Amino acid sequence: MEETMNTLSYKDLFNYINSDYNNEEVIKWEGFEITVKKLLPLEAVDAFVNTVVNAVFQDGEYDPMYLEYSILLSTMFAYTDIRPPEDDDVDYSNYYCQLFYGTDLCDTILEVVNADQYNSMLDIIDEKINYRIESDIDKISRQINELSDFVKEFGNQFSDNLPAVQALLTSLENGEISIDKVLDAFANKLRDSQFGDETNVNAGD
């Protein structure tokens, strides 16, 4: 006799998850009771990842010094009922460092956290950081190409400036000059020169 299998519906699945799966666990740490989530919802995962990625880019530059710190900080606030302080004018970074590196709080929290989801988030963070770095490199390459074309056009119009143009290109290749500043300076110079020529023509008529 063949065994009849019941079809599992979404409703049955969700009811099973809601009724039999406890996503929170209360831990005791140094005399404190802390509620820890095992899994984060998708929205919280997105916030966790973006918070860490944004934290390691200070003024547009990648700074790995903030990577582990921001991961531990996000872990504490995203997975537990510990709330961040409300007085934003106070710098708590030193206290957090003592908490993260001087105690086993985060290790205790991670004993409860679902390892598969957590490690997946760390992989996503790594991928997003690498993507942003590579995108910045591509952007700089495009800027260099655009600037080279601009400089060539400038040099064709003002042949007396060719030695300076060559020196500029060398400095750009060596990373000694900011591309954005050079673009602005050359644009202003070219605009002033064009306006100056037009003024002289009008004055000589």
Side-chain angles (χ1 to χ4, degrees), residues 133-149 179 183:
I133 292 174
E134 292 173 0
S135 297
D136 288 344
I137 292 175
D138 291 340
K139 178 182 177 182
I140 291 174
S141 298
R142 289 194 300 270
Q143 287 180 322
I144 290 176
N145 292 333
E146 292 173 1
L147 182 58
S148 295
D149 293 339
I179 295 175
L183 281 174

Side-chain angles (χ1 to χ4, degrees), residues 175-195:
E176 300 170 355
I177 299 179
S178 168
I179 295 175
D180 292 332
K181 291 181 180 179
V182 172
L183 281 174
D184 291 339
F186 263 89
N188 292 334
K189 180 67 176 177
L190 181 60
R191 185 163 51 249
D192 293 343
S193 299
Q194 291 174 336
F195 289 157

Side-chain angles (χ1 to χ4, degrees), residues 10 16 26 33 98 123 160 186:
Y10 284 112
Y16 167 77
V26 177
E33 287 191 348
Q98 294 176 21
D123 290 340
D160 292 340
F186 263 89

